[in-house]
Amino acid sequence: MNGSNSDKETKKQIPLRISARLYNELAAWAEEEFRSVNGQIEFLLHECVEQRKKGKRKS
């Protein structure tokens, strides 16, 4: 794979429809954290999934 990490997951493309207001909020937040909007959405989703996993372990 041309020196790329073989453990790296392939990324799936999904259509996502969000309001202009939410997009603008995400874009501003992403800019503050030096990420793309796509990167910010992926980061936030990852964080939510990890929090959910942690919450299930407590049960």
Side-chain angles (χ1 to χ4, degrees):
M1 289 192 137
N2 298 337
S4 65
N5 185 354
S6 61
D7 293 332
K8 191 173 185 176
E9 295 180 19
T10 59
K11 299 214 177 197
K12 299 286 185 178
Q13 292 183 4
I14 60 168
L16 176 64
R17 291 180 182 90
I18 59 175
S19 69
R21 180 178 176 198
L22 179 56
Y23 180 88
N24 292 336
E25 292 287 335
L26 287 168
W29 191 1
E31 189 175 323
E32 290 173 10
E33 298 191 7
F34 305 104
R35 291 188 182 101
S36 66
V37 174
N38 188 74
Q40 187 71 7
I41 292 169
E42 186 175 4
F43 172 79
L44 293 170
L45 287 171
H46 178 76
E47 289 293 305
C48 288
V49 168
E50 291 302 313
Q51 286 180 9
R52 184 172 187 266
K53 285 180 185 178
K54 288 178 185 177
K56 284 192 171 188
R57 289 185 193 140
K58 294 178 184 176
S59 299

